[in-house]
């Protein structure tokens, strides 16, 4: 049974507007919603864990709506956001005779969404795709906004394309099977929206953390609020010429950590890296005299309460030294003429884009952070 459905509209131009539907139990009715997009065939791209849990529900619902279906499942985890994973999905789609007018449906977390979206952007020079996100992270962030791509051995998300989905269906009931560690990791991106520009939302998160985790109505409110915030940013700055970069608060540090831990989930998953990155961004801002130290403390306290790591010494196996971290940051997509751009904050909900940050200042900060 589907309970209440929240619809967030993303009013992009050029016929690319789409809806994000948020509600419990939406997957059961996915067939009619996807059939309304007028495709003949739908290839569901998932990972093996999510496919085992929800693959049949989705392919059955699509088949009942008269659509030809195929299911392609990759190995779970960041390792599939690779050239090899991309080849597996593209060749699978071609093998299943997915044509220009057909659809790719990404069923899974952010890894599947980014990978399937990039395959859809590339297949026959572009086919439409639907996002059915099943992790908290994917429901609040990665399924919205059209950033798709894979990692290179040189760094995160360095090969990709902007390709907007035609529809996003976020069934919050799927979060009931998400491992607690992944729920927590996704929560880092929830808190991020408050930290960027919405201090009231951050305070609401502090008050509602337990219910978001327990699966009460606050969970749907959180997902819909984040989607609304992200949709607004994406419509104003789809290609990240400006304010969209704020969504990367904490991510310059996070992407470096992911690279240095070899994208190994056993050590660090993306949302955990983001949690540490958010804390580092606030502590770095405080050190530069931009942000009150008590705000940096409040961020770290809340993320720790949420069960997330907040310091470099919490990275299992170590985070690398200051020079290794700095070197990894130089591959960030926000690097211009070799100068680092960070998202810094003047306080909770007051983040801003800070170009031209001196590498020396970052290095000294990291040395002190690593000293503890
Ligand atoms: P993920 O896709 O690896 O999913 C996490 C784990 O949870 C996987 O093992 C998966 O199998 C499992 N899982 C997912 N849904 C489940 C469910 N309902 N029940 C049981 N298990 C489930 O990781 P993620 O955290 O969802 O996404 C991280 C990725 O998203 C990173 O690659 C990151 O770069 C990307 N990302 C992209 C954007 C964007 O705008 N495109 C934004 C943020 C993050
Ligand atoms: N997650 C960052 C963005 O979509 O821009």
């Amino acid at each position: 049974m589907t309970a209440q459905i929240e619809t967030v509209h993303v009013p992009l131009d050029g016929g690319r507007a789409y809806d994000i539907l948020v509600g419990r139990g939406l997957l059961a009715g996915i067939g009619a919603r996807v059939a309304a997009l007028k495709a003949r065939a739908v290839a569901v791209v998932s990972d093996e864990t999510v496919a085992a849990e929800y693959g049949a529900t989705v392919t059955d619902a699509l088949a009942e709506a008269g659509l030809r279906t195929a299911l392609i499942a990759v190995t779970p985890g960041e390792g599939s956001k690779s050239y090899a994973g991309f080849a597996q999905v593209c060749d699978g789609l071609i093998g299943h005779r997915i044509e220009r007018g057909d659809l790719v449906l990404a069923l899974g977390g952010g890894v599947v969404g980014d990978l399937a979206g990039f395959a859809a952007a590339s297949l026959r020079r572009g086919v439409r795709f639907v996002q059915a996100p099943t992790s908290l992270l994917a429901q609040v962030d990665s399924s919205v906004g059209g950033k798709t791509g894979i990692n290179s051995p040189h760094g995160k998300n360095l090969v990709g394309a902007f390709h907007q989905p035609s529809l996003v269906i976020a069934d919050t009931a799927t979060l009931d099977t998400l491992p607690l560690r992944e729920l927590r990791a996704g929560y880092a991106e929830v808190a991020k929206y408050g930290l960027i520009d919405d201090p009231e939302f951050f305070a609401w998160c502090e008050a509602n953390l337990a219910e978001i985790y327990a699966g009460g109505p606050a969970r749907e409110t959180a997902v819909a609020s984040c989607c609304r915030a992200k949709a607004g940013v994406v419509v104003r700055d789809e290609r990240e010429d400006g304010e969209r970069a704020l969504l990367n608060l904490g991510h310059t540090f996070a992407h470096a950590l992911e690279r240095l831990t070899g994208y190994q989930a056993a050590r660090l998953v993306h949302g955990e890296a983001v949690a540490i990155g958010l804390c580092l961004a606030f502590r770095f801002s405080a050190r530069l005299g931009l942000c009150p130290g008590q705000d940096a403390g409040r961020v770290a306290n809340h993320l720790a309460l949420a069960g997330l790591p907040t310091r470099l010494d919490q990275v299992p196996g170590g985070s690398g030294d200051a020079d290794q971290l700095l070197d990894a940051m130089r591959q960030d997509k926000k690097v211009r003429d070799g100068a680092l751009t960070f998202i810094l904050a003047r306080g909770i909900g007051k983040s801003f884009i800070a170009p031209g940050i001196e590498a020396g200042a970052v290095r000294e900060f990291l040395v002190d952070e690593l000293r503890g």
Side-chain angles (χ1 to χ4, degrees), residues 108-111 132-140 142 174-175 178 182-183 186:
V111 164
T134 63
S135 71
L136 181 59
L137 186 141
Q139 295 191 353
V140 301
S142 62
T174 60
L175 303 183
L178 190 67
E182 297 294 349
L183 190 73

Side-chain angles (χ1 to χ4, degrees), residues 6-238:
E6 279 239 33
T7 302
V8 178
H9 188 59
V10 188
L12 287 166
D13 57 13
R16 296 172 312 125
Y18 58 93
D19 284 337
I20 305 162
L21 308 181
V22 180
R24 282 190 79 82
L26 286 171
L27 285 187
I30 200 168
R33 294 184 196 284
V34 172
L37 297 173
K38 305 259 180 282
R40 220 176 30 87
V42 182
V44 177
V45 179
S46 193
D47 71 30
E48 285 152 7
T49 305
V50 178
E53 200 72 59
Y54 302 107
T57 305
V58 171
T59 51
D60 288 355
L62 294 170
E64 270 169 37
L67 295 156
R68 179 170 71 79
T69 66
L71 178 64
I72 299 164
V74 300
T75 305
E78 192 71 31
S80 285
K81 252 178 75 171
S82 60
Y83 292 116
F86 180 65
Q88 181 191 346
V89 173
C90 287
D91 286 338
L93 294 171
I94 295 164
H96 287 295
R97 292 176 285 110
I98 296 301
E99 300 174 356
R100 264 273 172 88
D102 295 332
L103 279 166
V104 172
L105 190 150
L107 174 70
V111 164
V112 161
D114 284 9
L115 175 63
F118 185 40
S122 313
L123 184 76
R124 306 189 201 280
R125 300 207 176 87
V127 303
R128 297 170 301 156
F129 85 117
V130 171
Q131 289 269 19
T134 63
S135 71
L136 181 59
L137 186 141
Q139 295 191 353
V140 301
D141 192 348
S142 62
S143 64
V144 175
K147 279 190 182 176
T148 72
I150 57 172
N151 305 322
S152 142
H154 293 284
K156 273 282 283 189
N157 298 336
L158 290 178
V159 179
F162 283 98
H163 187 50
Q164 296 290 342
S166 302
L167 177 66
V168 181
I169 297 180
D171 181 344
T172 50
T174 60
L175 303 183
D176 296 347
T177 58
L178 190 67
L180 178 60
R181 182 180 173 204
E182 297 294 349
L183 190 73
R184 288 172 167 161
Y187 182 76
E189 303 275 16
V190 175
K192 177 189 79 176
Y193 287 100
L195 297 177
I196 290 172
D197 65 355
D198 194 344
E200 288 80 24
F201 182 65
F202 187 73
W204 180 88
C205 285
E206 288 175 313
N208 288 279
L209 174 66
E211 192 179 321
I212 295 170
Y213 275 15
R219 187 179 276 180
E220 280 77 52
T221 305
V223 173
S225 302
C226 294
C227 289
R228 218 171 285 118
K230 181 152 185 185
V233 173
V234 167
V235 167
R236 291 190 295 273
D237 180 24
E238 185 181 359

Side-chain angles (χ1 to χ4, degrees), residues 226-291:
C226 294
C227 289
R228 218 171 285 118
K230 181 152 185 185
V233 173
V234 167
V235 167
R236 291 190 295 273
D237 180 24
E238 185 181 359
R239 294 266 164 169
E240 200 170 306
D241 296 317
E243 80 165 297
R244 186 164 180 172
L246 295 174
L247 294 174
N248 287 323
L249 179 63
H251 282 58
T252 304
F253 293 112
H255 287 167
L257 287 172
E258 284 186 272
R259 183 174 164 209
L260 291 177
T261 51
Y263 306 111
Q264 293 171 55
R267 293 179 68 190
L268 205 63
V269 294
H270 178 71
E272 292 167 340
V274 169
I276 297 173
L278 291 172
C279 294
L280 292 177
F282 269 79
R283 283 201 288 274
F284 187 42
S285 301
R287 181 185 173 107
L288 296 176
L290 297 164
C291 164

Side-chain angles (χ1 to χ4, degrees), residues 252 332 334-336 339-343 353-357:
T252 304
D332 191 272
K334 294 188 294 305
V335 170
R336 290 283 178 276
L340 292 160
T341 296
F342 278 85
I343 311 303
I353 301 165
I357 296 291

